Amino acid sequence: MILVGAGVICSGGLLLLLLYWLPEWGVKSTCTHTTLKDAHTVLLRTTVCAVTKCLDSPLSPSQVHYFVHHSARYYWNDVMQNFELYKGLEDVNVSCASLHSEHSSGLSKTLQDYRRLFFGENEIAVRVPSLLKLLVKEVLNPFYIFQLFSIILWSFEDYYYYASAIVLMSIISIATSLYTIKKQYVMLHDMVAAHSVVRVSVCRGNKDIEQAMSTELVPGDVIAIPANGMIMPCDAVLVYGTCIVNESMLTGESVPVTKTSLPSAGEEGARSYNIDEHKKHTLYCGTHVIQTRFYTGELVKAVVVRTGFSTEKGQLVRSILYPKPTDFKLYHDAYLFLLCLVGVAGIGFIYTIVLSIMNKVPAKTIIIESLDIVTITVPPALPAAMTAGIVYAQRRLKRVGIFCISPQRINMCGQLNVVCFDKTGTLTEDGLDLWAIHRAEDGSFCSPESEAAKVSLVNTTFVACMATCHSLTKIEGELSGDPLDLKMFSATGWILEEPTEEETALHNPIMPTVVRPPKHIAPEAHQSNPLPQSMELSELSACEMGIVRQFPFSSALQRMSVVVRRLGAKHMDAFLKGAPEVVASLCRQHTIPQTFTETLEAYTRQGFRVIALAHRQLESKLSWHKVQSLSRDVIETNMEFLGLIIMQNKIKPETAGVLCELQRANIRTLMVTGDNMLTAISVARDCGMVRPCEKVIIADAGPPKDFQPASITWHYTENQSSSLDIVEIELDEGTWDGEVSQEQSYHFAVSGKAFAVIIEYFPQLVKKLVLRATVFARMAPDQKTQLVEVLQSMDYTVGMCGDGANDCGALKRAHSGISLSELEASVASPFTSSTSNISCVPNLIREGRAALITSFCVFKFMALYSIIQFISVILLYSVLSNLGDFQFLFIDLIIILTIAFTMSLNPAWKELVWRRPPSSLISGQLLCSVLTQILTCLVFQVLAFLLVRQQSWYETWTPESDACNVSRSIFSLGVNVTDPQNHKNIRNYENTSLFYISTFQYIAVAIVFSKGKPFRQPSYKNWLFMLTCIGLYTFLLLIMLHPFPAVDNFLQVNVVSLIFSVANDRWASSVLSWLFCRRHKAPRALYMQLALELQEGSEWPPQPSAVTYASDLKSSSCSYLIWQIFTRLS
């Protein structure tokens, strides 16, 4: 520490700055190695340092060591001899039954306070840093420190004008960056804080209820969920009652789901609680509990299992706050190239010092000039020039409705080679539409029917199944639930009625939900056979059904079922719906039509979502209470096949065209959705991600179970044979024996559950699978982020397009995240589109490619500018000269910045081409281009420098002669008037020659490096850049070939002007006239030729009293004819 402190003082704080940039050096230089248990500072692999602290335990005399990293606490475990992350109640492997028996009564106040020491306050705190803190962090960027150094150096040289320009650009850049960062923090803070702190009812003992703030909750607390719902402040598992929950914040699917209480007995009760396996019983933080269902005198209770940043919402916010750094090759190569320039500057620095010492230059001048070489070689204006193209691209994106909060990501868009799309709301419209129903009777299919609400179908079992087999509920008088169930139920035209709270209290706790057809249908049903009104009402009443028991949909089982009872009937009925293959396997064989497989395949090939229905009449001895205790396996067997429902998931009109455009541009497209597998595959085929001739292989993986290793089952969904091909791989095999022919194109489809198993148990297959996988279904938010990371580890440049809060982590982690929503997703996403379809993706990629090529062009131009100026200054240093301040100003401000900003204006090319822009500056083609230009510029400058010294009129500058500093009013070569006020050796032959040569080189290099198609519009369409180049060329030629005293005095040049003033009468005027006036060229029109001849001739007009004879006229006409012939021939 003493040595570091001394180093900081001796270096003037530069060492402290270096340790700030490289924190791992700071730790290694100020700390000593020790055991992990005794450590006070921990150096993590990510080079982030975290300080351990001591936690005084009131219930234990010992101290607990922990450190905080990325808002998560890691505690020291003496048994494991390592730091561990504790998430919550599930860390102690509590069983479902013990959650009911031991944890359902709540915690005492003392135990709650003790646990709060470990788990902290239950809040997801997003601290908005102060502007001062953000400013210090931004200003300490190495580029800004270098700019500060350059400005101080230029101030010593009285070079205030350019220094002021750099200061102004830096202030604008810093202010813009601070505004953007501050805005992001505020938006995220507002999103998280909106419902993070609420009042909750906490259970103390079995009956004591007290009100508390949600920040006081700890794992193990029991909270009561109010009847009108709430925003969940933590992750909790239901132990009593039922809840209707909107989980769109997590899943992106705005579908209310039913959460039931955790099982407390049997095999399920003995299993350890797991938040993922028991998600149907878990209420997640940030989700909206819409309403609860409870019985007389009962409260809906939930046990808190996770709090704060350990919750699902907390982990989502952590992924936004602390994303893994996205490495982009351009920026990495740019730093390497700058290091090369620093090396060149070092050579110039040493050369300047040695040369100045040999020529006995004063020490102050040596220091200033040697440091000046560094600022010349590494241009301080480079960040501003590189930013220009991005700013222009951002402006063009805004015009097409794409808003950007992270401009540096625009360049990354130019390298995208894979784009992941969410499905619902992104590729497709929300929900499904009923296309047709296909009933089966007596073991054969009837004709397809487009409407299920027809009068003739009211009394059919098929429609009764459609009206009852669902999980719909009424919320504030409106039907709510899965969109598929809503579409199916609304297609019947029936009415759903739920028992009120008063009815539940007065009658049996198990009051059924009732469905019935509308009253106006019954009379219409019997128009052909009139019956008394009382008979009609009895017929109508016979259609009324009560839903006695519901077995919710299970993605693992791919089905759901209900038990119902018709009004007045003596028996109950079971209705089943689900995947056709699953439903058919549960039905009696003779009820399944023989054409079932062909019919199903015909619908699925057209991209329809097909659902099968089945029915079974239960035994009359079954009572209501007995049904409640039956397992679904007993109910869902020996069914009668009823038919098929054909649903259509409408794709947005723009989807197919955009995906086709991306594929033509050699950009891979993936679907990553929270929806089920079958729907995802269907949509992938419809939108063109999967072509009709291509197979889809479903990778269904399962974890180890019953002493069996983890395994993957590969289902070929498209096969010529009627049987399903299955290939299994077990964990101990290590490799996949079932090979897919490379000649036949195929796609993998993976569910979220299988993805997790493959990541954990088959790491060697992950990249092989992801390489050809196109559909990822049932993916949790963190799994979407994990998939993006896997793709990035395979050197893909990944784009992510989504519209829900569940996409936030992936949108933030991807190289380019595009949100189609202006809600939660836009907080995490670098880009937000005002249009709700994916047509923004090609626009963004086009602009990204244009911005990337612009960055290459500007970087190469600025690098060549530095080298050209470096060569000029090094050559001038050899004769104890330098460029003048106003020469520097003219080059840096008028030429370089003007060209750098205008050459960035080329708009994007109108279409996506199949190849991508180069991603690296360190490539053979680019290096060859740069080195060729450097050599060309070097040769011309050295030739000019040497040739000018060999001219007869050359005179070496000395303070006594002050060669070339002559009065503008004197044009004699022999007169040499010295200005006693100026002895800086600026106005000399070498200076002026190199100044003019280098200025033309800057413009020539800009034109050479300003690349157009196929990524940008051609440079000739960038009229501002063309006008700039033409204007600068014209101005430089004019002041070089024709003297302007004011301009020459300002630029401190006059050698060329003096020579041309002396030689002006000989050839300069002729050259200028030929270039601009072209006076000596013979006119084309005969009358103009004649006028010219008469003007130059001395014999016309005739003299007074002169007489012209015919012979004279004939001879003159002959001579004129001969002249005309020769003129024509020439």
Side-chain angles (χ1 to χ4, degrees):
M1 287 292 291
I2 296 174
L3 289 175
V4 171
V8 169
I9 295 173
C10 295
S11 63
L14 290 179
L15 180 59
L16 191 63
L17 198 60
L18 182 65
L19 296 181
Y20 170 80
W21 291 334
L22 301 169
E24 65 273 19
W25 287 18
V27 172
K28 291 177 180 179
S29 58
T30 58
C31 302
T32 56
H33 283 279
T34 185
T35 61
L36 196 57
K37 182 178 181 180
D38 300 327
H40 293 282
T41 302
V42 179
L43 179 61
L44 302 179
R45 189 172 56 183
T46 56
T47 70
V48 178
C49 303
V51 179
T52 60
K53 301 178 181 178
C54 293
L55 180 72
D56 293 322
S57 169
L59 301 182
S60 175
S62 61
Q63 290 184 327
V64 181
H65 295 270
Y66 73 95
F67 68 89
V68 179
H69 175 60
H70 288 176
S71 301
R73 288 189 180 187
Y74 295 82
Y75 292 92
W76 177 255
N77 188 324
D78 274 328
V79 177
M80 302 295 295
Q81 287 294 298
N82 203 349
F83 287 96
E84 287 189 336
L85 174 66
Y86 296 123
K87 292 184 176 181
L89 199 61
E90 59 182 314
D91 290 326
V92 295
N93 293 324
V94 60
S95 68
C96 297
S98 63
L99 275 171
H100 282 271
S101 59
E102 301 175 12
H103 297 84
S104 60
S105 58
L107 301 176
S108 64
K109 191 70 175 175
T110 305
L111 187 56
Q112 186 191 49
D113 293 339
Y114 175 60
R115 288 190 179 181
R116 192 177 298 115
L117 292 174
F118 282 92
F119 296 103
E121 296 288 328
N122 176 36
E123 62 176 348
I124 303 172
V126 179
R127 312 294 182 193
V128 180
S130 64
L131 278 175
L132 180 61
K133 185 177 180 180
L134 290 175
L135 178 64
V136 171
K137 186 176 180 180
E138 186 73 15
V139 168
L140 291 181
N141 184 288
F143 265 120
Y144 289 124
I145 296 297
F146 180 69
Q147 285 182 339
L148 178 63
F149 162 75
S150 302
I151 290 166
I152 294 172
L153 180 64
W154 293 334
S155 300
F156 280 108
E157 298 181 90
D158 299 331
Y159 189 37
Y160 297 115
Y161 301 99
Y162 188 61
S164 302
I166 293 295
V167 168
L168 180 62
M169 287 188 294
S170 299
I171 290 174
I172 294 173
S173 176
I174 291 171
T176 304
S177 179
L178 289 182
Y179 172 77
T180 303
I181 296 172
K182 182 83 172 180
K183 183 180 177 182
Q184 283 182 269
Y185 271 110
V186 171
M187 288 175 64
L188 184 60
H189 174 270
D190 293 344
M191 183 194 83
V192 173
H195 305 288
S196 60
V197 181
V198 295
R199 295 196 68 83
V200 293
S201 300
V202 182
C203 300
R204 303 286 183 209
N206 289 323
K207 294 186 178 179
D208 294 338
I209 303 291
E210 68 177 36
Q211 296 296 313
M213 298 304 297
S214 60
T215 53
E216 300 174 8
L217 294 176
V218 297
D221 271 330
V222 176
I223 59 175
I225 312 295
N228 58 350
M230 63 185 295
I231 302 292
M232 288 300 297
C234 58
D235 288 351
V237 57
L238 269 176
V239 289
Y240 296 112
T242 305
C243 292
I244 309 297
V245 186
N246 185 344
E247 292 186 331
S248 60
M249 196 281 297
L250 290 178
T251 64
E253 309 291 332
S254 55
V255 178
V257 294
T258 302
K259 301 284 186 175
T260 57
S261 59
L262 191 71
S264 58
E267 183 181 345
E268 284 290 326
R271 295 178 61 182
S272 295
Y273 170 75
N274 183 280
I275 198 167
D276 295 320
E277 292 182 9
H278 296 92
K279 60 183 178 182
K280 289 189 177 298
H281 316 291
T282 305
L283 306 174
Y284 294 104
C285 179
T287 59
H288 182 200
V289 178
I290 302 171
Q291 69 178 30
T292 62
R293 292 182 181 177
F294 57 94
Y295 306 136
T296 308
E298 295 283 348
L299 291 176
V300 177
K301 294 181 180 179
V303 178
V304 178
V305 291
R306 289 182 183 179
T307 58
F309 279 99
S310 297
T311 62
E312 289 291 317
K313 182 179 179 181
Q315 292 178 35
L316 182 62
V317 174
R318 282 183 65 202
S319 69
I320 298 172
L321 281 175
Y322 313 106
K324 291 184 179 179
T326 52
D327 184 26
F328 192 49
K329 196 166 181 59
L330 171 65
Y331 302 138
H332 181 262
D333 290 347
Y335 281 112
L336 289 179
F337 206 94
L338 286 176
L339 285 177
C340 294
L341 292 180
V342 169
V344 173
I347 295 172
F349 181 82
I350 297 171
Y351 168 81
T352 304
I353 292 176
V354 172
L355 187 67
S356 299
I357 292 174
M358 290 173 61
N359 288 281
K360 299 180 180 180
V361 176
K364 180 183 177 182
T365 306
I366 294 176
I367 295 172
I368 292 176
E369 289 188 347
S370 56
L371 292 176
D372 201 27
I373 281 288
V374 178
T375 64
I376 289 171
T377 314
V378 185
L382 180 62
M386 293 280 286
T387 305
I390 297 174
V391 171
Y392 296 145
Q394 186 178 5
R395 190 182 304 169
R396 290 193 295 268
L397 286 171
K398 190 175 182 180
R399 285 201 292 265
V400 295
I402 301 173
F403 303 93
C404 176
I405 60 173
S406 182
Q408 295 301 324
R409 298 289 184 106
I410 296 177
N411 274 341
M412 295 185 182
C413 296
Q415 276 293 309
L416 292 182
N417 50 15
V418 60
V419 182
C420 304
F421 292 96
D422 183 34
K423 182 186 73 68
T424 307
T426 303
L427 298 175
T428 67
E429 305 288 353
D430 289 326
L432 297 165
D433 290 323
L434 181 69
W435 186 78
I437 60 173
H438 205 161
R439 296 185 299 121
E441 291 182 357
D442 301 326
S444 62
F445 279 116
C446 303
S447 299
E449 297 166 283
S450 59
E451 293 185 12
K454 291 194 298 187
V455 174
S456 59
L457 299 177
V458 171
N459 291 323
T460 60
T461 310
F462 188 93
V463 171
C465 183
M466 289 179 65
T468 57
C469 196
H470 53 72
S471 57
L472 299 178
T473 185
K474 276 196 171 183
I475 299 173
E476 298 180 356
E478 294 291 331
L479 273 179
S480 182
D482 189 282
L484 187 148
D485 289 344
L486 280 171
K487 290 287 183 182
M488 185 180 70
F489 182 77
S490 62
T492 64
W494 286 37
I495 298 170
L496 182 141
E497 295 177 349
E498 289 185 327
T500 62
E501 184 178 335
E502 292 78 10
E503 291 173 333
T504 305
L506 293 174
H507 302 89
N508 194 300
I510 309 173
M511 286 292 293
T513 298
V514 175
V515 295
R516 59 177 176 80
K519 293 182 179 180
H520 69 273
I521 287 182
E524 296 176 3
H526 303 282
Q527 283 179 0
S528 60
N529 185 20
L531 293 170
Q533 182 68 22
S534 59
M535 188 65 180
E536 294 170 0
L537 292 175
S538 65
E539 289 276 349
L540 178 63
S541 299
C543 295
E544 188 172 314
M545 300 182 184
I547 302 173
V548 179
R549 177 81 189 275
Q550 182 186 102
F551 296 97
F553 177 80
S554 167
S555 57
L557 300 176
Q558 295 186 347
R559 64 182 188 267
M560 78 160 291
S561 60
V562 293
V563 177
V564 304
R565 187 167 196 169
R566 287 182 183 268
L567 186 62
K570 295 182 179 180
H571 61 82
M572 298 185 189
D573 295 278
F575 290 113
L576 172 73
K577 76 171 182 183
E581 297 88 347
V582 175
V583 172
S585 67
L586 300 174
C587 292
R588 297 193 298 271
Q589 191 62 36
H590 73 273
T591 65
I592 303 172
Q594 292 182 353
T595 59
F596 170 78
T597 303
E598 293 80 1
T599 304
L600 176 62
E601 186 174 349
Y603 284 127
T604 54
R605 283 189 180 277
Q606 297 177 60
F608 291 111
R609 169 80 183 278
V610 183
I611 299 166
L613 304 182
H615 162 258
R616 176 190 168 193
Q617 182 177 314
L618 301 179
E619 297 81 0
S620 57
K621 63 180 180 180
L622 285 176
S623 65
W624 282 34
H625 291 282
K626 193 170 183 180
V627 166
Q628 304 304 316
S629 61
L630 289 177
S631 68
R632 67 187 304 164
D633 293 334
V634 176
I635 300 293
E636 298 170 350
T637 185
N638 204 26
M639 310 290 285
E640 177 187 351
F641 186 79
L642 294 179
L644 304 173
I645 299 176
I646 297 91
M647 309 292 287
Q648 185 180 26
N649 196 185
K650 287 187 177 179
I651 297 174
K652 291 183 178 180
E654 303 83 2
T655 297
V658 170
L659 294 179
C660 182
E661 183 180 3
L662 294 176
Q663 288 168 356
R664 283 199 305 266
N666 199 26
I667 297 172
R668 185 181 168 198
T669 55
L670 306 180
M671 183 190 299
V672 188
T673 177
D675 209 341
N676 67 64
M677 178 69 76
L678 297 177
T679 303
I681 294 174
S682 172
V683 171
R685 290 194 178 279
D686 288 347
C687 66
M689 278 189 183
V690 179
R691 297 183 179 90
C693 60
E694 296 174 333
K695 286 186 176 181
V696 176
I697 305 172
I698 299 177
D700 187 11
K705 188 177 182 181
D706 299 331
F707 305 104
Q708 294 294 324
S711 63
I712 306 175
T713 305
W714 311 88
H715 299 277
Y716 286 63
T717 60
E718 294 295 328
N719 198 283
Q720 300 300 323
S721 63
S722 58
S723 61
L724 186 68
D725 285 356
I726 298 177
V727 180
E728 289 194 4
I729 172 175
E730 293 188 352
L731 181 60
D732 53 2
E733 293 179 21
T735 58
W736 178 26
D737 293 334
E739 295 183 358
V740 175
S741 173
Q742 295 298 323
E743 297 177 359
Q744 187 174 8
S745 183
Y746 63 92
H747 300 262
F748 286 120
V750 187
S751 67
K753 179 183 175 183
F755 184 72
V757 172
I758 294 169
I759 288 286
E760 183 175 358
Y761 297 101
F762 299 91
Q764 74 277 10
L765 289 182
V766 172
K767 292 184 178 180
K768 293 181 182 179
L769 188 72
V770 171
L771 183 66
R772 298 303 299 270
T774 301
V775 177
F776 293 86
R778 295 296 185 195
M779 296 287 280
D782 60 322
Q783 289 179 322
K784 292 184 178 183
T785 307
Q786 196 174 16
L787 173 62
V788 170
E789 292 172 357
V790 171
L791 288 167
Q792 289 174 338
S793 71
M794 298 169 65
D795 295 331
Y796 278 112
T797 306
V798 186
M800 175 72 195
C801 183
D803 66 334
N806 62 315
D807 301 317
C808 285
L811 289 170
K812 187 76 172 181
R813 183 67 184 97
H815 291 103
S816 172
I818 311 152
S819 168
L820 303 186
S821 167
E822 297 183 6
L823 301 177
E824 295 97 336
S826 63
V827 178
S829 176
F831 302 96
T832 302
S833 173
S834 59
T835 57
S836 58
N837 58 69
I838 63 172
S839 60
C840 60
V841 176
N843 291 332
L844 183 59
I845 296 175
R846 276 194 292 268
E847 290 297 343
R849 290 182 172 185
L852 183 59
I853 287 296
T854 298
S855 296
F856 276 103
C857 295
V858 171
F859 191 90
K860 290 192 292 183
F861 170 69
M862 295 297 288
L864 261 293
Y865 144 67
S866 301
I867 296 298
I868 291 170
Q869 199 169 80
F870 173 80
I871 294 170
S872 301
V873 172
I874 287 294
L875 290 174
L876 290 176
Y877 276 2
S878 67
V879 293
L880 301 181
S881 181
N882 198 354
L883 292 173
D885 288 347
F886 290 104
Q887 289 176 340
F888 274 122
L889 186 66
F890 178 77
I891 293 171
D892 295 341
L893 205 57
I894 306 300
I895 297 181
I896 301 304
L897 288 185
T898 306
I899 288 179
F901 288 139
T902 56
M903 76 185 300
S904 304
L905 287 170
N906 292 43
W909 188 243
K910 55 189 175 183
E911 62 184 21
L912 287 176
V913 295
W914 68 271
R915 63 190 181 93
R916 291 177 294 134
S919 60
S920 174
L921 282 169
I922 315 298
S923 66
Q925 183 181 2
L926 292 177
L927 287 178
C928 181
S929 171
V930 171
L931 291 175
T932 303
Q933 292 296 327
I934 290 174
L935 289 175
T936 303
C937 296
L938 175 64
V939 168
F940 275 93
Q941 286 203 45
V942 171
L943 282 175
F945 182 78
L946 296 176
L947 287 174
V948 76
R949 296 167 68 92
Q950 296 175 4
Q951 302 305 309
S952 58
W953 37 260
Y954 174 78
E955 182 181 354
T956 304
W957 181 92
T958 61
E960 290 75 21
S961 68
D962 202 13
C964 307
N965 288 329
V966 299
S967 173
R968 284 293 179 178
S969 61
I970 302 174
F971 294 104
S972 172
L973 188 61
V975 179
N976 189 3
V977 178
T978 303
D979 180 6
Q981 302 299 323
N982 187 5
H983 290 275
K984 290 186 177 180
N985 189 12
I986 301 301
R987 287 189 174 181
N988 56 53
Y989 299 115
E990 293 92 342
N991 172 285
T992 304
S993 301
L994 291 180
F995 172 75
Y996 280 119
I997 291 290
S998 64
T999 50
F1000 283 114
Q1001 286 178 342
Y1002 298 134
I1003 305 171
V1005 164
I1007 295 173
V1008 169
F1009 285 154
S1010 185
K1011 189 176 181 180
K1013 59 186 301 187
F1015 305 113
R1016 300 198 310 168
Q1017 295 285 354
S1019 293
Y1020 62 79
K1021 290 189 176 182
N1022 183 355
W1023 59 270
L1024 199 57
F1025 174 68
M1026 295 305 296
L1027 285 178
T1028 301
C1029 291
I1030 294 171
L1032 287 172
Y1033 260 124
T1034 304
F1035 175 75
L1036 288 170
L1037 283 171
L1038 195 61
I1039 65 172
M1040 184 178 73
L1041 301 177
H1042 193 280
F1044 288 92
V1047 175
D1048 291 348
N1049 284 330
F1050 177 79
L1051 294 177
Q1052 297 173 283
V1053 294
N1054 75 355
V1055 175
V1056 177
S1057 299
L1058 177 62
I1059 297 170
F1060 273 97
S1061 297
V1062 175
N1064 189 49
D1065 292 336
R1066 299 179 182 176
W1067 53 273
S1069 297
S1070 300
V1071 171
L1072 288 174
S1073 299
W1074 182 83
L1075 282 174
F1076 298 106
C1077 301
R1078 313 275 310 243
R1079 290 180 181 175
H1080 296 295
K1081 185 176 180 180
R1084 293 184 179 182
L1086 289 176
Y1087 73 91
M1088 295 178 68
Q1089 295 175 10
L1090 181 59
L1092 185 60
E1093 181 194 11
L1094 294 178
Q1095 183 179 355
E1096 294 178 353
S1098 58
E1099 297 179 355
W1100 197 266
Q1103 298 296 323
S1105 303
V1107 178
T1108 304
Y1109 295 99
S1111 58
D1112 297 333
L1113 185 61
K1114 189 180 294 185
S1115 63
S1116 64
S1117 298
C1118 183
S1119 63
Y1120 171 76
L1121 181 60
I1122 293 170
W1123 174 84
Q1124 189 179 26
I1125 290 172
F1126 275 98
T1127 303
R1128 297 278 184 169
L1129 290 174
S1130 63

